Amino acid sequence: MPFKSEDAPSEGPSISPYLLDFGQWVSCIQIGNENDVFMNYQFAKDGQIQDVRLKCGNDYYGYRHIKKKHETDWNKLMTAGEALGWVPESQGIESWDDLMAQSAGMVLFGWQNTGYNPGNSKRCAIAKVQWYRMDTFQVVLSKRIIVVFATDSDRLITAYPPKDQNTQTCYPS
């Protein structure tokens, strides 16, 4: 499908200058280049390091999956933090996808619990992520975030705040 200039995003929170620039947005959203990489992470477990990449993806993994299934969850989280005095821009977060990408990195680096499904080669990690007011360094918001990724490839499948914030473990389906 050819790109038309009238299909380009207008100014606003849907496109972040930090996660996706205009060229990446066109390549992913308009053209559908599934393998475009937006973020590189690493997951360490039992002395092993696995590369995990947030790719453009499709309906089943990556940025497009997260946008379709969890954009509302991330926007709600961002709005809740702002209502409590958090200033996302002070931490380089301009939109839901910046929040998601940064949170996914924090979970993969500082996970507290993991789950593994050898039947479908998925692992999930869960951790509590905290956001601070930069002027007072007080925690404004603290939420558990789940990240699911493939163990047989470098794909980040999804990242989201679970509805049940008492969730201690995750089981990738």
Side-chain angles (χ1 to χ4, degrees):
M1 160 177 22
F3 174 72
K4 296 181 236 158
S5 61
E6 61 268 17
D7 292 334
S10 61
E11 288 185 296
S14 63
I15 299 291
S16 165
Y18 296 103
L19 182 60
L20 270 70
D21 64 26
F22 183 73
Q24 291 170 315
W25 184 88
V26 169
S27 182
C28 178
I29 303 301
Q30 289 294 315
I31 299 171
N33 288 329
E34 291 183 18
N35 290 316
D36 286 357
V37 176
F38 302 135
M39 292 295 289
N40 291 296
Y41 308 105
Q42 289 189 321
F43 179 81
K45 177 120 173 100
D46 300 329
Q48 300 293 316
I49 301 289
Q50 179 180 344
D51 290 325
V52 179
R53 291 182 175 84
L54 173 60
K55 297 181 178 185
C56 173
N58 56 37
D59 285 350
Y60 306 102
Y61 79 93
Y63 182 85
R64 289 172 59 190
H65 165 79
I66 297 167
K67 180 174 176 43
K68 180 178 178 179
K69 296 286 188 178
H70 302 293
E71 179 178 5
T72 300
D73 301 325
W74 287 108
N75 274 321
K76 284 180 184 175
L77 185 61
M78 194 160 168
T79 301
E82 289 172 319
L84 295 170
W86 179 53
V87 180
E89 295 83 8
S90 70
Q91 295 167 9
I93 295 173
E94 296 286 330
S95 65
W96 74 269
D97 55 359
D98 294 330
L99 178 60
M100 175 274 302
Q102 190 179 92
S103 298
M106 287 187 240
V107 170
L108 290 169
F109 179 76
W111 57 271
Q112 295 159 339
N113 292 301
T114 65
Y116 178 60
N117 186 337
N120 64 12
S121 301
K122 291 181 186 176
R123 178 174 291 284
C124 64
I126 187 169
K128 188 174 280 192
V129 177
Q130 296 180 322
W131 295 274
Y132 298 83
R133 281 183 58 131
M134 295 305 286
D135 58 345
T136 63
F137 298 105
Q138 290 179 303
V139 174
V140 174
L141 194 60
S142 180
K143 294 287 184 181
R144 292 190 193 287
I145 304 296
I146 292 176
V147 175
V148 179
F149 58 96
T151 58
D152 60 352
S153 73
D154 62 351
R155 292 179 180 170
L156 186 142
I157 296 168
T158 194
Y160 60 95
K163 304 263 187 263
D164 179 2
Q165 278 293 303
N166 292 318
T167 300
Q168 298 290 324
T169 58
C170 51
Y171 302 97
S173 55

